[in-house]
Amino acid sequence: MKLCTDKEGRPFLGCSGYPQCGKKRPLNTALLRDFLDYYRLKCPACKEPLQVRRGRYGLFAGCSGFQATGCRHTISLNSLLRGPDS
């Protein structure tokens, strides 16, 4: 599976042969939570763990320290899943 985007730019997981192979899987909260937990991703601003949040434009990663520290740092799924090199 690889990260793909639909016509509106929303990310999903598609077969490595996509689009010839039409197999795809939507990114959901549980899958993204597992991704954040597996890589132990932290907020670049305050070093608190990132958590999955749902907003007006879909899922994103946000700082879990919002309540305690007031940190409002967020990261879009495209940035998060593509990594720092893209």
Side-chain angles (χ1 to χ4, degrees):
M1 301 295 276
K2 66 178 182 174
L3 183 66
C4 302
T5 54
D6 65 13
K7 293 176 184 176
E8 287 81 36
R10 294 178 300 228
F12 66 90
L13 294 177
C15 174
S16 60
Y18 187 85
Q20 290 78 17
C21 174
K23 303 287 184 193
K24 59 184 182 177
R25 185 174 180 189
L27 292 175
N28 60 34
T29 304
L31 183 62
L32 291 171
R33 188 178 307 121
D34 289 346
F35 176 83
L36 294 175
D37 290 344
Y38 181 81
Y39 287 105
R40 297 181 180 154
L41 296 178
K42 307 268 186 199
C43 173
C46 71
K47 306 304 180 212
E48 291 291 322
L50 290 174
Q51 65 184 24
V52 178
R53 299 200 177 190
R54 182 176 297 276
R56 170 189 231 172
Y57 302 107
L59 297 174
F60 65 96
C63 181
S64 64
F66 177 73
Q67 296 289 340
T69 65
C71 181
R72 299 176 65 90
H73 192 82
T74 62
I75 301 172
S76 73
L77 288 187
N78 286 333
S79 297
L80 182 70
L81 297 175
R82 292 201 193 310
D85 297 334
S86 55

